[in-house]
Amino acid sequence: MELTGAEITIRCLQDEGVEYVFGYPGGAVLFIYDALFNQDKVKHILVRHEQAAVHAADGYARSTEKVGVALVTSGPGVTNAVTGIATAYMDSIPMVVISGQVPTGAIGEDAFQEVDTVGITRPCVKHNFLVKDVKDIASTIKKAFYLAKSGRPGPVLVDIPKDISIAKAEYDYPKNVSIRSYNPQVKADATAIKQAAELLLSAKRPVIYTGGGVILSDAAKPLTELVRGLGYPCVSTLMGLGGYPETDKLFLGMPGMHGTLEANLGMQNCDVLLAVGARFDDRVIGNVSHFNSVPRKIIHIDIDPASISKRVQVDVALVGDVKEVVKELQAALKSVKQKPDAAAQADWWKQIGEWRGRNSLAYKNSTEVIKPQYVVEKLYEITKGEAFVTSDVGQHQMWAAQYYKFDEPRRWINSGGLGTMGFGLPAAMGVKLAHPKADVACITGEGSIQMCIQELSTCKQFRLPIKVLSLNNRYLGMVRQWQEFFHGNRYAESYMDALPDFVKLAEAYGHVGIRVVNPADVEGAIKEAFARKNELVFMDFQTDPTENVFPMVPGGKGLSDIIMAEDL
């Protein structure tokens, strides 16, 4: 039987086991939407903006081991989606985005709603395709899913012209796919594994530095066994939180610009550093020259060889899938007769204990004004650390990362690399659809939430009872903090002096709105929100507008140049 290109597209999604497609219809994809309408295996979630479609697919992917799928139309549809695509690309999130395109004969003629989708998205996708023959749709989509989830994951875009979606061909979905020029390395070099094991066991001041690759490769369990087996201190990047239990005594916290004192000074002063699925980002190690000023040996595990020695020169490179390489390293450690230097380890932990004793996350609570840290602490307490938490970007994101302790992977959903305002709410939609029985909280700010606040309509249509916690300080908080520290208190365009009544706005969308002004009411508001199991509750917490995120390493400075709240 011959099928249209549109029908083939949907059949491919069915055969891939796709549960949800997040999208928004338009002229170039109407035949694909018609094919969606005529089946019931793949469910479509109608968002209110294409950026939100990709963020929702992103949240779905991050909270599961599945590939997120988005469907958008040509022209402004796909350009609206680019921010979401770039967000996924920066954080290596597996995703397939299907976009409509003008008919092949009109490409290049400035047709209505035409853009060069392949050209525009090339810098922010793992790969993209323009389908020129209906016979190629099935094999192209198979390649797209394979590329998206294998190796270093990432978004893959498939651009389908309208006439290709109408044309017919026999349906034949490949069971397997092979791309000659693409063969990700899974297992690391055996000699390098042995070198890494010997180097780790010789360490006097070791630190294990973990990143998002631990989450993406589902390596949390073997990583935890490795860390506990060695008894070494562990730190985690923003993207890696939950890869190692944060409540464990070996965990020092998050390093970097807003990392803990013990994590930062541990990273800076270690003599052997094992980097696991992390990329030495500028927000993590700060100034490279300063970081390199302390001699240390570095072992780097990463699936992407391009990430090895990209920013920091490493001594032992272990290229391969993080989960597999960690298992190989565990086996190698057992075969090496050498044992860690117990006396040196005791001295190292004594030093770490002194740093830890300064309690760099301490803050002065108040009975008069709500402190944002207190809100996050209460959320953690009430949800028992078991919620899925999404965030937008800014001060609230850092407070969420600092004060909500994640003991499991895929519970912390945020935009790390691109830092995309507007990510939190649509990402929470994807998470809730993937985990309908779980508590899902979106921690946001009054600036970020307005970027995609129209998705409250999507939440109403699809009955998604997300709990939104807006830490409303009436400023673009992180912008204001930098202006206070580095721009002489000149708050240029950071004050949000025309904010809506978020309670009434939530109610206008058909949800529950709660305004919280008194610190004594914080706990009760959160408990009430989570007691409303079947309703979206928007909590507008009026927080202290002068509160800053500490600790802080100023941009361009090193990990030792850390500003503590007590220093000011």
Side-chain angles (χ1 to χ4, degrees):
M1 181 186 298
E2 288 191 334
L3 301 176
T4 65
E7 292 168 333
I8 290 172
T9 300
I10 301 306
R11 281 286 298 273
C12 291
L13 298 183
Q14 291 175 347
D15 285 350
E16 278 291 337
V18 172
E19 185 179 14
Y20 291 106
V21 171
F22 303 88
Y24 201 91
V29 287
L30 282 185
F31 287 96
I32 297 176
Y33 270 89
D34 199 40
L36 260 175
F37 181 82
N38 289 322
Q39 57 85 57
D40 57 8
K41 290 184 179 179
V42 179
K43 304 177 186 68
H44 182 270
I45 304 299
L46 176 66
V47 296
R48 292 346 187 224
H49 191 284
E50 290 88 352
Q51 177 180 340
V54 186
H55 288 333
D58 186 322
Y60 180 88
R62 290 184 201 234
S63 66
T64 65
E65 299 177 26
K66 301 176 182 178
V67 176
V69 181
L71 173 60
V72 299
T73 193
S74 64
V78 75
T79 56
N80 280 346
V82 168
T83 298
I85 295 170
T87 299
Y89 178 72
M90 288 290 283
D91 292 343
S92 302
I93 305 304
M95 184 184 302
V96 171
V97 179
I98 298 172
S99 59
Q101 183 55 275
V102 299
T104 52
I107 293 176
E109 295 187 355
D110 296 330
F112 177 67
Q113 291 193 330
E114 179 194 0
V115 296
D116 178 7
T117 299
V118 168
I120 288 171
T121 61
R122 184 175 289 119
C124 59
V125 293
K126 185 175 179 180
H127 196 68
N128 58 20
F129 300 91
L130 172 61
V131 182
K132 298 179 180 179
D133 190 321
V134 66
K135 296 177 183 177
D136 296 333
I137 289 180
S139 61
T140 300
I141 291 179
K142 185 67 178 181
K143 289 177 183 177
F145 276 89
Y146 170 63
L147 287 169
K149 62 187 176 183
S150 62
R152 180 177 182 172
V156 178
L157 182 135
V158 180
D159 200 30
I160 304 178
K162 189 171 184 178
D163 59 317
I164 301 300
S165 71
I166 302 171
K168 290 189 174 184
E170 289 188 3
Y171 179 70
D172 181 18
Y173 196 59
K175 293 183 179 179
N176 300 295
V177 65
S178 176
I179 302 174
R180 187 174 60 181
S181 59
Y182 177 75
N183 294 289
Q185 185 174 333
V186 176
K187 293 185 177 294
D189 177 75
T191 302
I193 286 284
K194 184 179 179 182
Q195 290 175 339
E198 292 173 347
L199 193 56
L200 272 173
L201 293 173
S202 69
K204 296 183 184 301
R205 303 186 311 277
V207 166
I208 298 175
Y209 153 54
T210 68
V214 172
I215 309 295
L216 294 168
S217 66
D218 295 306
K221 184 177 180 180
L223 171 75
T224 301
E225 292 172 354
L226 176 71
V227 174
R228 288 176 174 166
L230 288 167
Y232 288 176
C234 178
V235 302
S236 172
T237 68
L238 182 73
M239 294 305 303
L241 294 177
Y244 186 83
E246 289 193 53
T247 55
D248 191 272
K249 63 182 180 180
L250 299 179
F251 188 70
L252 306 188
M254 181 175 67
M257 181 169 283
H258 295 295
T260 64
L261 181 70
E262 55 269 31
N264 279 342
L265 295 186
M267 279 271 288
Q268 183 63 27
N269 294 289
C270 67
D271 68 339
V272 174
L273 181 66
L274 171 61
V276 187
R279 56 188 178 92
F280 295 92
D281 179 77
D282 60 293
R283 288 293 173 105
V284 173
I285 65 168
N287 183 284
V288 174
S289 297
H290 180 276
F291 185 72
N292 289 334
S293 66
V294 177
R296 67 176 70 80
K297 296 293 184 181
I298 299 177
I299 306 161
H300 192 181
I301 303 173
D302 205 290
I303 187 70
D304 185 0
S307 291
I308 304 290
S309 295
K310 184 176 182 178
R311 300 197 72 241
V312 173
Q313 189 66 37
V314 306
D315 298 279
V316 181
L318 301 177
V319 179
D321 179 77
V322 169
K323 186 176 184 179
E324 295 302 318
V325 176
V326 169
K327 288 181 178 179
E328 291 174 318
L329 188 55
Q330 281 180 288
L333 286 166
K334 292 176 182 177
S335 67
V336 177
K337 295 181 180 180
Q338 182 180 356
K339 299 296 181 184
D341 186 330
Q345 298 304 309
D347 289 342
W348 182 225
W349 274 109
K350 181 180 178 182
Q351 174 62 79
I352 290 171
E354 291 176 6
W355 292 328
R356 186 180 257 166
R358 292 183 62 183
N359 193 9
S360 59
L361 294 182
Y363 68 96
K364 294 180 181 179
N365 208 351
S366 170
T367 58
E368 297 180 356
V369 62
I370 297 174
K371 294 292 183 176
Q373 303 97 316
Y374 177 69
V375 177
V376 179
E377 285 182 328
K378 280 299 173 184
L379 174 67
Y380 174 74
E381 178 185 309
I382 290 166
T383 60
K384 300 178 182 178
E386 297 175 353
F388 287 85
V389 179
T390 73
S391 84
D392 277 293
V393 172
Q395 287 181 316
H396 61 271
Q397 177 189 27
M398 294 299 104
W399 285 317
Q402 290 175 331
Y403 295 96
Y404 199 102
K405 306 302 179 185
F406 296 94
D407 280 345
E408 296 181 39
R410 299 189 182 276
R411 295 296 180 109
W412 167 234
I413 314 293
N414 81 115
S415 169
L418 196 65
T420 307
M421 294 174 69
F423 174 85
L425 180 58
M429 299 186 323
V431 173
K432 189 64 180 178
L433 285 162
H435 307 275
K437 294 182 180 180
D439 288 330
V440 179
C442 170
I443 298 178
T444 186
E446 78 293 328
S448 284
I449 191 64
Q450 293 188 84
M451 293 282 185
C452 283
I453 200 165
Q454 72 284 339
E455 298 311 313
L456 287 174
S457 177
T458 305
C459 292
K460 183 63 178 179
Q461 179 177 349
F462 294 95
R463 298 178 177 84
L464 303 177
I466 296 158
K467 313 309 175 191
V468 180
L469 295 87
S470 176
L471 306 183
N472 184 349
N473 60 11
R474 283 77 73 198
Y475 278 97
L476 299 178
M478 193 61 82
V479 173
R480 185 206 59 76
Q481 179 168 337
W482 279 59
Q483 288 172 335
E484 177 184 333
F485 283 22
F486 311 118
H487 298 276
N489 296 310
R490 294 183 294 277
Y491 302 129
E493 305 304 322
S494 59
Y495 179 61
M496 306 288 285
D497 61 352
L499 290 173
D501 183 327
F502 287 108
V503 171
K504 290 182 178 178
L505 189 56
E507 291 172 347
Y509 277 107
H511 303 300
V512 176
I514 301 175
R515 180 178 292 103
V516 187
V517 178
N518 193 323
D521 297 330
V522 169
E523 182 174 355
I526 298 175
K527 285 183 175 179
E528 179 185 348
F530 281 93
R532 293 175 176 266
K533 296 293 185 183
N534 300 317
E535 296 175 287
L536 184 149
V537 181
F538 191 112
M539 290 163 274
D540 184 26
F541 294 97
Q542 304 288 301
T543 61
D544 185 351
T546 67
E547 194 69 16
N548 290 322
V549 181
F550 292 105
M552 181 179 183
V553 176
K557 297 292 185 179
L559 291 180
S560 299
D561 303 317
I562 188 166
I563 301 172
M564 304 263 285
E566 65 189 40
D567 297 330
L568 300 178

